[in-house]
Amino acid sequence: MPVQHQLASIAACNDETHVEENRQQYRAKFELFQTQLGDKVALQKPEAGFYYWLKVNNDEEFAQKTTKRSEY
């Protein structure tokens, strides 16, 4: 690995500010999502991860309807 890449890696590993900022942003996004949709669909905030997995009766039909609605 080139020296400049090594030095950049060391600097990034020594600075956790960006990590905490990202965590705060993810928390805020999850809370917004929960607030906006929590009364419309059954949501359970995941303990870890970045996704909500919605239970639907027919996943193919759900995807097609969602795609059509997003085209507007």
Side-chain angles (χ1 to χ4, degrees), residues 15-28:
D15 179 15
E16 290 293 310
T17 304
H18 68 285
V19 174
E20 186 53 40
E21 288 172 358
N22 281 340
R23 287 180 184 148
Q24 290 174 1
Q25 289 175 14
Y26 279 116
R27 281 188 213 110

Side-chain angles (χ1 to χ4, degrees), residues 24-39:
Q24 290 174 1
Q25 289 175 14
Y26 279 116
R27 281 188 213 110
K29 289 175 185 179
F30 270 111
E31 288 182 25
L32 178 64
F33 191 79
Q34 184 79 42
T35 301
Q36 296 296 313
L37 294 177
D39 62 338

Side-chain angles (χ1 to χ4, degrees), residues 1-69:
M1 177 184 289
V3 174
Q4 62 271 26
H5 291 183
Q6 293 176 28
L7 295 173
S9 296
I10 290 168
C13 289
N14 287 330
D15 179 15
E16 290 293 310
T17 304
H18 68 285
V19 174
E20 186 53 40
E21 288 172 358
N22 281 340
R23 287 180 184 148
Q24 290 174 1
Q25 289 175 14
Y26 279 116
R27 281 188 213 110
K29 289 175 185 179
F30 270 111
E31 288 182 25
L32 178 64
F33 191 79
Q34 184 79 42
T35 301
Q36 296 296 313
L37 294 177
D39 62 338
K40 295 169 182 58
V41 293
L43 296 174
Q44 181 177 355
K45 187 174 178 180
E47 292 181 28
F50 303 105
Y51 305 102
Y52 278 103
W53 297 102
L54 300 176
K55 292 185 179 183
V56 296
N57 292 329
N58 182 320
D59 57 346
E60 187 174 334
E61 181 182 336
F62 179 82
Q64 289 173 348
K65 286 182 179 180
T66 303
T67 302
K68 285 180 185 176
R69 287 184 185 168

